[in-house]
Amino acid sequence: MKETLSKLKFWYQKAGELGAQYYNAPYRAAIARAKREEDDLFMLLVFSEMMGVPNPASWYCLELQPLLLERFHDWHQRMGMEHSPLDNFRCC
Amino acid sequence: MSAIVLLVLGLGGMALGYFFYSRFIANHIYKLDENFKTPAHEMEDGVDFVPTNKFVLWGHHFTSVAGAAPIVGPAIAVIWGWLPAFLWVTLGTIFFAGVHDFGAIWASIRNRAKSVGSLTGEVVGKRARAVFMIVIFLVLLMVNAVFGVVIAKLLINNPGAVVPVWGAVAVALVIGQLIYRFKFNLAWVSLIGIIVLYGLIYVGPSMPITLPDSTFGLSASASWILLLFLYAAIASLLPVWMLLQPRDYINGLQLFVGLILLYAAVIIANPSVVAPMINMDLPANTPSMVPLLFVTIACGAISGFHGLVASGTTSKQLNKETDARFVGYFGAVGEGALALAAIIAATAGFASLADWQAVYSAFGKGGVLAFVNGGATILHAGTGIDAAVASTMLTVMAALFAGTTMDTGLRLQRYIFQEWGEIYNIKWMGKALPATLLAVASCLVLAFGAGGADGSGGLLIWPLFGTTNQLLAGLTLLVITVMLVRRKSPTIYTLAPLVFLLVMTLAALLLQLKGFYDQQKWFLLGLDIVVLVAAILVTLECAAALKDEKRKAAEAE
């Protein structure tokens, strides 16, 4: 009985995984792209002050900067800036 | 004759095609290699390139290529009798569609998962690519205009389907929110979604909705078409997770349930095919079977649209090269099975030959309505589902498919306008809203320009959709054939379908040209000439590219 239950659970999980893949497969790229665009906008807000754009929430953005630095390089390249636009932070 | 014979012969033939012919093509022609590193692995980025389970990918590929066309085409073509349509669907799937769809995936993955459009440019030449862009724009334009009319007709003829058809949009919106915002379990959401959808189908017939005969001087058909385009424009502008993704998903599930029910009903009820094997008593003005049969049934036998999906998204997600056979060929078999169901419904779902003849009183009269009514009779007899509910179920199935194809088609057309905006530096055209409006406007011009005040222009140009779509398939087969010449593989298995398609398409276009001229339909005449010029250019490109490749191959030896 226990074995049957665990087998059933395994098949349910497997079916769930395949179902989720089937749901996502056709639109995975479009959604990932939309998410990236949102992230880019957020990144722009966080780093806006450093690029001379006044930001009333700069204190909070400053706190967030270390969390985003890892993705900073990809972001500035995507934005069309070959090298880091910030004087005090050179990632490349 | 019993419909079960058709079912067994058709599905049996396609199964044999999959097990034997596709294996032969995979091993000896395309020479699939299990160790070949597919672009999904080579360029994996978690966005476009993601190795995907082959069953999942098959589901995605099949539901993307299955629109209303495999239902509309065969249901119109049985006017020539059931045998020609049956043979073309079965043999077309085995020897044409399977090889084409499977080949499109193979050609794409061997070229870094590029789309057929850019492959044409690289493998054949820039001129061929320019023709390709025109052909693809025309196909999208026609798909959108045709499907608008098809859904409007369905909603007028079955007012009980209005609630479930529009209700499905609400169901999809709720499902999207539940999954993305509230992180609900997908299995439960799908189950509840399907139950609600079928619940709507059940209550639909008791709450029929009809539009007034005239609203601001517009007929009910014209009003529905305008409403549908308004919906499609909004849907194509919304983020995909909100409406398109859950809608396609729930539609896919509904297709599987619907097909299984219909086939089960045929086996239980064992209806007789009342339509003639070959119809000698054709209504006046019915065009000649050869070549029109081969362009009337496009999807379900061979369709260029499949090549776009195969090389657009499917190829980027293929886990192993050998999976291409299952995903591509078996995807075509799935579509063939849907077309076969349409043939059975439109020939065996009538009480007598006289009833059938009453529906097929003129060319284009049968169509999707014959599928709905015939299929509903079979469903009722086989499963005991109430006749009105069964007919609503099939109407919803056809309308939802046409609807999702319209959503995607309009979105793709918008991209083309945006691309043109960028190429020609027209800034306003590069933005989403104006580009969408332009896409909708071009479809409406076609629907109302060719069809007059009731907007039925889409259906009038159906044979032109067939020819344009077959041209697209021809281009894909050309790319595959050129690649085969370069690899010194036998080319006859792709060249023969290519030549056949081009000959039939050219013949159909010439025949229609004369017809439009005689009937003084100038709009259609103009459109026919555009497609004809494209067809001739494709034929010339085919001949030149193949001659060139053969010469190079000979010189290298």
Side-chain angles (χ1 to χ4, degrees):
Chain A
M1 182 68 185
K2 212 173 174 185
E3 207 179 310
T4 325
L5 266 179
S6 68
K7 255 189 190 167
L8 273 178
K9 206 174 163 189
F10 170 76
W11 283 112
Y12 176 75
Q13 273 174 350
K14 189 104 182 152
E17 276 167 28
L18 286 178
Q21 270 202 54
Y22 172 58
Y23 183 80
N24 289 314
Y27 294 105
R28 197 165 31 209
I31 287 167
R33 238 177 257 122
K35 184 179 179 301
R36 199 170 63 189
E37 271 169 31
E38 269 182 27
D39 286 350
D40 283 350
L41 186 67
F42 182 64
M43 192 78 106
L44 191 68
L45 279 175
V46 171
F47 287 94
S48 58
E49 191 104 320
M50 292 180 124
M51 287 187 286
V53 183
N55 184 351
S58 62
W59 170 254
Y60 301 97
C61 291
L62 205 63
E63 268 192 350
L64 288 168
Q65 281 181 8
L67 301 172
L68 298 175
L69 282 181
E70 259 183 48
R71 283 181 280 155
F72 183 76
H73 176 67
D74 288 341
W75 172 73
H76 77 68
Q77 287 210 320
R78 249 200 324 274
M79 295 293 115
M81 295 174 268
E82 207 179 317
H83 297 290
S84 166
L86 307 177
D87 292 336
N88 53 354
F89 179 67
R90 295 246 163 247
C91 55
C92 48
Chain B
M1 197 188 70
S2 160
I4 294 182
V5 178
L6 274 191
L7 182 80
V8 171
L9 281 179
L11 290 185
M14 288 185 223
L16 287 178
Y18 172 68
F19 286 114
F20 298 104
Y21 189 62
S22 78
R23 180 170 297 158
F24 166 75
I25 297 282
N27 293 339
H28 297 97
I29 311 301
Y30 298 149
K31 295 179 183 141
L32 301 189
D33 177 7
E34 199 172 347
N35 299 316
F36 176 79
K37 206 172 178 191
T38 57
H41 287 284
E42 182 137 12
M43 298 150 80
E44 187 171 352
D45 61 358
V47 181
D48 291 306
F49 297 87
V50 182
T52 305
N53 176 293
K54 71 172 177 179
F55 296 102
V56 171
L57 196 56
W58 175 80
H60 152 47
H61 180 78
F62 172 42
T63 45
S64 306
V65 296
I71 297 172
V72 183
I76 290 179
V78 291
I79 197 160
W80 291 295
W82 62 261
L83 186 68
F86 173 77
L87 286 178
W88 174 228
V89 162
T90 316
L91 298 177
T93 299
I94 299 171
F95 296 107
F96 288 64
V99 178
H100 167 272
D101 297 10
F102 166 24
I105 299 179
W106 169 76
S108 175
I109 57 163
R110 285 278 163 175
N111 289 285
R112 297 171 63 81
K114 284 188 180 142
S115 67
V116 181
S118 49
L119 269 182
T120 313
E122 277 175 33
V123 178
V124 188
K126 279 194 180 147
R127 266 176 315 184
R129 199 190 154 175
V131 178
F132 185 91
M133 283 299 282
I134 298 170
V135 172
I136 187 170
F137 181 76
L138 285 175
V139 166
L140 287 174
L141 183 69
M142 289 174 189
V143 162
N144 294 335
V146 168
F147 288 2
V149 187
V150 168
I151 306 175
K153 263 192 159 187
L154 283 170
L155 294 180
I156 289 171
N157 282 283
N158 193 343
V162 175
V163 169
V165 165
W166 290 100
V169 177
V171 171
L173 279 169
V174 174
I175 289 180
Q177 295 291 330
L178 289 180
I179 293 174
Y180 272 93
R181 271 194 211 284
F182 303 104
K183 312 280 176 210
F184 271 46
N185 181 306
L186 182 70
W188 288 110
V189 176
S190 338
L191 192 69
I192 295 167
I194 282 283
I195 292 172
V196 173
L197 187 62
Y198 276 91
L200 285 172
I201 290 173
Y202 188 75
V203 298
S206 54
M207 300 165 72
I209 293 177
T210 43
L211 286 186
D213 283 343
S214 174
T215 323
F216 305 118
L218 291 169
S219 67
S221 160
S223 307
W224 274 128
I225 291 171
L226 286 177
L227 279 174
L228 283 163
F229 274 109
L230 181 70
Y231 155 75
I234 295 171
S236 82
L237 285 168
L238 285 176
V240 285
W241 68 266
M242 220 181 249
L243 179 59
L244 289 198
Q245 187 179 27
R247 191 164 143 82
D248 277 2
Y249 173 72
I250 211 84
N251 258 4
L253 295 185
Q254 205 229 354
L255 171 73
F256 292 126
V257 174
L259 256 188
I260 292 168
L261 276 178
L262 198 59
Y263 276 129
V266 171
I267 292 169
I268 299 167
N270 189 15
S272 296
V273 178
V274 293
M277 188 158 82
I278 293 173
N279 193 5
M280 301 306 243
D281 186 20
L282 287 169
N285 294 328
T286 305
S288 155
M289 183 179 86
V290 179
L292 259 288
L293 170 71
F294 304 99
V295 290
T296 305
I297 305 181
C299 297
I302 180 167
S303 154
F305 190 69
H306 296 193
L308 299 182
V309 177
S311 65
T313 51
T314 308
S315 64
K316 294 180 177 65
Q317 301 174 55
L318 200 75
N319 186 25
K320 281 194 284 187
E321 193 180 40
T322 41
D323 289 352
R325 177 178 158 232
F326 179 78
V327 177
Y329 199 98
F330 203 63
V333 168
E335 179 116 328
L338 185 59
L340 186 65
I343 292 178
I344 293 176
T347 55
F350 296 85
S352 66
L353 178 61
D355 286 354
W356 184 83
Q357 278 168 333
V359 171
Y360 283 87
S361 57
F363 184 68
K365 278 269 174 183
V368 77
L369 294 176
F371 164 76
V372 168
N373 296 334
T377 311
I378 297 174
L379 261 181
H380 172 62
T383 58
I385 298 174
D386 181 68
V389 174
S391 121
T392 309
M393 200 176 113
L394 291 175
T395 305
V396 173
M397 187 166 141
L400 290 191
F401 269 111
T404 46
T405 312
M406 248 177 100
D407 292 346
T408 322
L410 210 64
R411 192 175 274 259
L412 290 174
Q413 239 187 320
R414 173 187 115 199
Y415 291 155
I416 292 186
F417 274 113
Q418 281 182 293
E419 217 168 280
W420 281 340
E422 273 171 34
I423 292 172
Y424 299 110
N425 209 12
I426 310 171
K427 286 221 169 93
W428 62 268
M429 209 155 107
K431 287 182 186 146
L433 186 65
T436 305
L437 290 178
L438 275 179
V440 172
S442 61
C443 295
L444 289 178
V445 164
L446 184 57
F448 289 91
D454 72 342
S456 63
L459 215 59
L460 290 177
I461 51 141
W462 180 257
L464 278 180
F465 162 76
T467 46
T468 321
N469 199 20
Q470 302 304 55
L471 263 187
L472 206 58
L475 268 171
T476 309
L477 283 170
L478 172 66
V479 171
I480 302 169
T481 312
V482 171
M483 280 177 64
L484 290 177
V485 172
R486 285 185 188 164
R487 288 163 63 101
K488 298 193 177 67
S489 289
T491 51
I492 185 76
Y493 304 95
T494 51
L495 193 60
L498 166 63
V499 172
F500 182 83
L501 274 186
L502 283 182
V503 170
M504 288 303 160
T505 305
L506 282 172
L509 282 166
L510 287 172
L511 208 74
Q512 285 169 340
L513 196 70
K514 187 180 175 301
F516 295 145
Y517 181 78
D518 290 345
Q519 293 158 27
Q520 301 194 328
K521 289 181 175 166
W522 307 121
F523 185 84
L524 289 171
L525 186 84
L527 213 57
D528 192 302
I529 290 171
V530 173
V531 184
L532 188 65
V533 170
I536 293 168
L537 285 174
V538 168
T539 314
L540 292 175
E541 287 294 335
C542 285
L546 286 172
K547 209 172 146 192
D548 200 34
E549 282 304 321
K550 291 231 159 119
R551 183 183 52 78
K552 276 188 206 158
E555 275 172 8
E557 269 173 18

